[in-house]
Amino acid sequence: MKQLAKRANIIKPSATVALTTRAKLLKKEGKDIIIMAAGEPDFDTPDYIKEYAIDAIQKGFTKYTPAEGTVELRMAIAEKLKRDNNLEYDWKDIVVSNGAKQAIANTLMVIIDEGDEVIIPSPYWVTYTSLVELVGGKPVIVKTKIENEFKLTPEELEKHITPKTKAIILNSPSNPTGSVYTLEELKALGEIIEKHDLFVISDEIYEKIIYDGYKHISIASISDKLKENTIIINGVSKSHAMTGWRVGFSASNSEIAKKIAALQSQLSHHTASISQKAAEIAFLKNDGSVEKMRKEFEKRRDKIVEMLSNIEGIKFNIPHGAFYVFPDVSYFYRKRYKNWYIKNSLDLSEFLLEKVGLAAVSGIAFGEDSCIRFSYATNIDNIIEGINRFKKALEMLL
Ligand code: PMP
Ligand code: GLU
């Protein structure tokens, strides 16, 4: 066999997806596993959305749609951007894709050339670095500090900008840290971004999952120049518990939107017609279920924070959004239990899975080896049991 493309060696399987799949398999085999790995709401898609989609199937809405998505859905998204984010987009500048993940991949393919640098604040969502590498770009990882709630400061940003810097990826609320940037913080970053004329890929997928009175701000709403250079990424996966439907979108300037549409017309053409119908009603109608789920996530966040606060040796920032908490567990590195020796976050993740049946993703997957990520997108009983197991495992190592 001839050699595969270099590209095939660059791409690694998503660590979050891999661990979740492995844990689910163990559970299926009858093992007692608490899964706090999955970044996916455990709620079902609200009924009004499902009913609308069923109706669309029955009416035969089963054919190809435009590559960019249906006009109705793109109009519904334009309305959402105005209503929720105070942003005026022509519906033609919105491209619907197979999840926010494809929207990010599309964007990178359109804006990044071989050797271009893309600034990625760390900890970051696993997929960013892989996709940047896949398109030939160079991820420039900027380490942030737990003391700053893992948020990038303007100084940290400016220090890493070079003539090759093309773009920055921002994610607020953040996976894995749960941090939320305030208006002032975004303005300060925005000044540097404008000065250096960078593109911003603003991943706002956790917009609706936000606590403590924090308000989600899109950096594109800060100035006309930032709007021109920002590609907003969002979707229904997390807000409406619709991960499996695969609907995300990008909103950008017209030139970028046209290129993304052309690219997608060659790649996947479009996301499923029925899923587009479902997303359309999700954006148009509000039956209170998004807020109901948010409230439930907040209760779970309170519980997990309360439980983690009672564990010695770890430190963490209080997540104000998303459904993850990312404690620093490095105190337990270089500790032993029987034939186990914990060197890093991968070892600890393995130890948790093997010894106490708890699946949590190693921090190194997100570029921060001192931490481990728990998803609390699972019911309170699982959270209580999961964190009790975590405590028990750490005590074994003391
Ligand atoms: N961005 C972040 C930060 C995420 O955690 C996820 C989760 N999968 C995505 C994007 C992709 O979402 P989607 O399911 O819409 O592809
Ligand atoms: N975004 C989720 C996570 O971080 C889902 C899995 C994935 O796409 O990475 O766990």
Side-chain angles (χ1 to χ4, degrees), residues 66-124:
E68 301 87 332
T70 64
V71 174
E72 293 79 10
L73 172 54
R74 290 154 77 208
M75 283 182 161
I77 295 171
E79 218 176 291
K80 172 252 173 296
L81 288 166
K82 176 85 196 112
R83 185 178 61 229
D84 297 350
N85 311 107
N86 196 25
L87 283 164
E88 296 269 3
Y89 278 93
D90 189 325
W91 61 268
K92 294 192 189 83
D93 296 337
I94 290 157
V95 181
V96 177
S97 53
N98 287 276
K101 205 178 246 184
Q102 192 188 9
I104 299 168
N106 286 345
T107 303
L108 288 167
M109 276 192 261
V110 162
I111 66 172
I112 299 304
D113 268 326
E114 195 74 33
D116 283 347
E117 293 179 1
V118 180
I119 293 187
I120 305 178
S122 153
Y124 49 77

Side-chain angles (χ1 to χ4, degrees), residues 14-18 20 37-40 101 125-127 175-176 205-206 238 243 246 323-324 361 366 373 375:
S14 157
T16 49
V17 175
T20 307
E40 151 165 75
K101 205 178 246 184
W125 179 43
V126 280
T127 294
N175 173 8
I205 193 81
Y206 294 99
K238 319 287 173 172
T243 44
R246 310 307 302 133
F323 36 62
Y324 309 102
V361 187
F366 309 95
R373 188 192 80 173
S375 160

Side-chain angles (χ1 to χ4, degrees), residues 338-350:
K338 295 189 176 163
N339 55 346
W340 287 85
Y341 178 64
I342 308 299
K343 294 183 298 303
N344 51 34
S345 61
L346 268 175
D347 288 351
L348 187 68
S349 166
E350 207 53 41

Side-chain angles (χ1 to χ4, degrees), residues 331-359:
Y331 176 79
F332 296 90
Y333 296 171
R334 291 172 301 283
K335 305 250 192 264
R336 287 176 197 282
Y337 176 76
K338 295 189 176 163
N339 55 346
W340 287 85
Y341 178 64
I342 308 299
K343 294 183 298 303
N344 51 34
S345 61
L346 268 175
D347 288 351
L348 187 68
S349 166
E350 207 53 41
F351 184 71
L352 292 175
L353 191 60
E354 291 287 325
K355 294 310 294 178
V356 294
L358 173 63

